[in-house]
């Protein structure tokens, strides 16, 4: 079973925005969570339109799915309009019987997973990502980024976990997916409680009394961030409406940072600075994306 996951927008196309959040970041986070969950199921191959912040034309995304001969295409989006709220799903106006059948299975499972959220219904539209793929396709819109109440939920990593789980629950029901059998050892090994940092499958986790820690972690004077699965994150991360930079070893960066020939400033709490700031008595101006504006003595911008 080949499942093609499309994270809406990306790169220069931020998608909808609201209260510090960008649709392109949320869709990518949800898609990655779905992919991780699907790794636990037999015979599932997960394909992605993007796994990082890059721009792709809609036609390119559909072409990827078609070239890979995917069995199902899922496009993930976040809605926008201040008066709107809730969840809705779409198939094409001339959708195949399979697309409609899958929507009927997947939509209610997502609603069950995300809880007390308005159900805006199962709909159809002439959207490119349900029109151009050759296989059954569904597009989901999970809440409204510019609605204050919806936005508060979208800022919670635990809520994005529910969105991802709801999608996977729907796939299990629609496609009859089966979890991989766990191999039981013939003899019971000596059980030791894990504590501290552990590297597993080239990823770092932090255990406390045998349980993986998630969220922000202070260890030996440095801050780290562990996602909903306990995995230590690195690089630029958008967390609860703010950008942070986590060094290659995982600890949170503070102060000046140079990335791709651009300077950025990370505040004392680790969040990326913007606008006019004062550092050691000197004033600097940072763009909305955090990069430093460099000027000549007469004020001409050169970087």
């Amino acid at each position: 079973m080949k499942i093609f996951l499309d994270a809406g927008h990306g790169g220069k196309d931020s998608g909808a925005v609201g209260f510090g959040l960008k649709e392109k970041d949320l869709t990518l986070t949800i898609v990655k969570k779905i992919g991780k969950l699907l790794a636990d199921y037999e015979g599932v191959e997960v394909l992605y339109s993007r796994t990082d912040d890059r721009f792709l034309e809609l036609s390119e995304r559909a072409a990827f799915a078609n070239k890979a001969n995917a069995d199902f295409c899922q496009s993930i989006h976040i809605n926008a309009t201040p008066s709107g709220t809730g969840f809705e799903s779409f198939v094409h106006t001339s959708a195949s019987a399979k697309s409609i059948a899958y929507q009927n299975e997947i939509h209610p499972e997502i609603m069950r997973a995300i809880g007390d959220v308005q159900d805006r219904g199962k709909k159809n539209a002439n959207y490119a990502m349900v029109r151009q793929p050759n296989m059954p396709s569904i597009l989901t819109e999970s809440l409204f980024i510019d609605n204050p109440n919806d936005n508060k939920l979208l800022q919670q990593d635990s809520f994005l976990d529910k969105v991802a789980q709801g999608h996977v629950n729907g796939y299990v029901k629609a496609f009859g997916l089966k979890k991989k059998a766990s191999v039981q050892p013939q003899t019971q090994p000596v059980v030791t409680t894990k504590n501290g940092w552990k590297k597993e499958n080239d990823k770092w986790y932090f255990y406390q009394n045998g349980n993986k820690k998630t969220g922000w972690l202070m260890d030996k004077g440095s801050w780290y961030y562990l996602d909903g699965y306990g995995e230590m994150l690195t690089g630029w991360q958008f967390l609860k409406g703010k950008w942070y930079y986590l060094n290659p070893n995982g600890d949170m960066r503070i102060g000046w940072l140079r990335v791709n020939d651009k300077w950025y400033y990370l505040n004392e709490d680790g969040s990326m600075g913007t606008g006019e700031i004062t550092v050691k008595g000197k004033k600097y101006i940072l763009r909305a994306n955090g990069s430093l504006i460099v000027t000549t003595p007469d004020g001409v911008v050169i970087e």
Side-chain angles (χ1 to χ4, degrees), residues 50-62:
R50 65 183 182 97
T51 56
D52 55 19
D53 186 18
R54 69 178 65 193
F55 174 78
L56 292 168
E57 297 287 354
L58 295 174
S59 57
E60 291 181 273
R61 299 165 189 258

Side-chain angles (χ1 to χ4, degrees), residues 200-270:
E200 301 171 1
N201 297 323
D202 292 325
K203 297 175 181 178
W204 283 100
Y205 301 85
F206 190 91
Y207 285 86
Q208 190 172 61
N209 298 324
N211 298 313
K212 289 179 180 177
K213 292 283 290 180
T214 59
W216 285 108
L217 166 74
M218 169 67 82
D219 182 50
K220 297 179 180 177
S222 296
W223 284 102
Y224 302 80
Y225 191 84
L226 311 166
D227 69 12
Y229 299 92
E231 180 184 336
M232 183 190 77
L233 301 183
T234 60
W236 286 111
Q237 299 294 332
F238 190 71
L239 305 169
K240 294 186 177 180
K242 296 181 180 180
W243 282 102
Y244 298 82
Y245 188 87
L246 305 172
N247 290 317
N249 66 352
D251 62 329
M252 184 182 74
R253 185 66 173 258
I254 295 176
W256 288 107
L257 168 71
R258 190 168 181 82
V259 177
N260 296 329
D261 296 324
K262 299 287 185 182
W263 283 100
Y264 301 81
Y265 187 80
L266 289 312
N267 298 312
E268 288 299 316
D269 67 351

Side-chain angles (χ1 to χ4, degrees), residues 268-292:
E268 288 299 316
D269 67 351
S271 62
M272 182 187 74
T274 58
E276 184 175 300
I277 63 171
T278 301
V279 180
K280 295 182 179 179
K282 293 184 178 181
K283 289 187 177 180
Y284 301 87
I285 299 178
L286 307 172
R287 295 182 175 89
N289 67 1
S291 61
L292 175 67

Side-chain angles (χ1 to χ4, degrees), residues 47-94:
L47 309 167
Y48 302 89
S49 60
R50 65 183 182 97
T51 56
D52 55 19
D53 186 18
R54 69 178 65 193
F55 174 78
L56 292 168
E57 297 287 354
L58 295 174
S59 57
E60 291 181 273
R61 299 165 189 258
F64 290 161
N66 293 335
K67 185 176 181 180
N69 292 317
D71 298 299
F72 175 73
C73 176
Q74 171 72 70
S75 189
I76 301 292
H77 286 262
I78 308 297
N79 234 324
T81 180
S83 61
T85 182
F87 171 82
E88 58 191 1
S89 65
F90 291 86
V91 294
H92 188 246
T93 50
S94 300

